[in-house]
Amino acid sequence: MTQRWVAPLLGVVALALVGALGWSVVFASDPTDTPAGPRPVATAPASGGSASGPASGGRASTPPPDTPAHPATPGPPARTVPALYLGDSLATESRTALAERLAATGRVELHSAPHSGTTLCDYLAAWRGKSLVPARDKAAALVRTVRPRVVILQFWGNAWGYTPCMAGATYGTAGYYDRYAADARALTEEIAAAARTAGLARPKIVWASQAPDAFHPDRVRRVNAIYAARAAASGDLYADAGRTLGPVGDRYRWTRQLPCDAYERAHPAYCTHPAPGGGTTDLHRTDDALHFCLAPTTTTPRPCPVRSPGIHRFARAVTATVDGWLRSATG
């Protein structure tokens, strides 16, 4: 650009920077990036809108606003309660979308501390070996600091090779499933004990079910059964969010695309390939059969920076479970 154009454009550039900075903070960090503990997840219009980061080479743009999960109703505002969200890379990519969906109910403020590659044992205070989760983010420590009414747990089922705390436990072995069942019980007990010592009511734990596995279909079926059994045994909740990510009538069959559901048809931005009478939506990238973020993965884990229907299906399902319980619990 020649110098004679600089001055006339100075005011325009300044205004553009103000607008751009308003978006730059939305997906700026992940709990693994800073020494600070959990914090409320910042929200922005239309979670996961088309604001591609440097990895995808896209340009920031403002997507159309979404309709809240539960439209506002007349009357006094509900008192919000803190909720805690723990999990692996799927929790990392979905934490902003889930925070927005929960906030839209007017009942919940979400605090999240996911760490990629982790599983249940990483969040146990009793685990003394090497862990991908620092002491400040162990479940018991977070219960004492966040003082949540709800704890949401999202764990895909990582094994040895991803996290050191699962040493010796490989996919499909009896030891793998035994470890998950034992760790699910231990984590439940640590959360309850931490609440007691802090003088809190025991948080309601929400176990989020997992989507179909492209490579080990029966593994996810058995892991989900462990979560459902633990929720039933402890009087907690099982959010079958993974069901929304598989074909109707064939829950555990993996697919990259699904027909648009009623919400997506009503909000066409989430129906990736609209068509008369329905259309289809993308759940996964063609190069990633596991994650639901439609932006490329990066070396630094982050909330998904683009609108991704699979993430929003998951967030809507978990929100429905949490909000339904809060409505019944508070009358």
Side-chain angles (χ1 to χ4, degrees):
M1 179 183 296
T2 60
Q3 187 174 0
R4 66 192 182 90
W5 289 103
V6 173
L9 291 178
L10 183 58
V12 175
V13 171
L15 290 174
L17 284 174
V18 172
L21 286 173
W23 279 97
S24 66
V25 298
V26 177
F27 303 112
S29 63
D30 183 80
T32 58
D33 301 336
T34 68
R39 57 199 183 281
V41 177
T43 59
S47 164
S50 302
S52 299
S56 60
R59 295 182 302 167
S61 62
T62 304
D66 296 336
T67 300
H70 292 279
T73 54
R79 177 177 176 271
T80 61
V81 299
L84 180 61
Y85 187 32
L86 308 179
D88 52 32
S89 60
L90 297 180
T92 297
E93 70 178 8
S94 63
R95 68 188 186 121
T96 299
L98 181 58
E100 290 178 356
R101 293 289 172 184
L102 288 169
T105 70
R107 297 174 179 272
V108 184
E109 179 183 43
L110 187 67
H111 302 251
S112 63
H115 291 271
S116 295
T118 58
T119 193
L120 302 172
C121 51
D122 284 293
Y123 283 89
L124 288 171
W127 173 254
R128 300 301 182 184
K130 185 177 180 181
S131 174
L132 301 180
V133 174
R136 69 175 185 275
D137 284 352
K138 299 291 186 180
L142 293 176
V143 167
R144 292 189 291 268
T145 56
V146 175
R147 304 172 72 85
R149 188 70 187 90
V150 176
V151 176
I152 303 165
L153 302 176
Q154 186 287 313
F155 293 96
W156 178 79
N158 287 320
W160 172 238
Y162 286 88
T163 175
C165 77
M166 287 293 286
T170 56
Y171 294 125
T173 65
Y176 170 84
Y177 298 113
D178 289 345
R179 280 290 306 278
Y180 264 83
D183 289 345
R185 178 173 182 172
L187 192 56
T188 298
E189 292 172 350
E190 284 198 3
I191 289 170
R196 285 195 302 272
T197 60
L200 306 173
R202 180 191 182 282
K204 182 66 71 172
I205 298 172
V206 178
W207 294 90
S209 73
Q210 303 306 293
D213 185 335
F215 307 105
H216 307 281
D218 192 55
R219 184 196 64 78
V220 168
R221 187 192 307 272
R222 294 183 64 177
V223 167
N224 284 343
I226 289 170
Y227 296 161
R230 174 44 42 198
S234 304
D236 289 312
L237 302 174
Y238 178 71
D240 198 2
R243 180 176 294 278
T244 67
L245 301 166
V248 174
D250 199 359
R251 162 71 170 86
Y252 286 100
R253 180 171 65 83
W254 183 93
T255 181
R256 194 176 72 82
Q257 294 180 325
L258 283 175
C260 296
D261 63 17
Y263 179 89
E264 290 156 355
R265 291 193 297 273
H267 301 79
Y270 291 97
C271 190
T272 317
H273 309 286
T280 59
T281 198
D282 292 336
L283 301 182
H284 303 277
R285 290 171 55 87
T286 57
D287 59 354
D288 188 344
L290 171 59
H291 298 95
F292 294 94
C293 183
L294 298 183
T297 57
T298 61
T299 55
T300 300
R302 60 178 178 170
C304 185
V306 301
R307 183 183 286 109
S308 300
I311 288 177
H312 284 270
R313 285 186 177 213
F314 174 86
R316 284 188 280 128
V318 173
T319 296
T321 298
V322 172
D323 189 49
W325 177 75
L326 286 172
R327 287 172 183 267
S328 65
T330 59

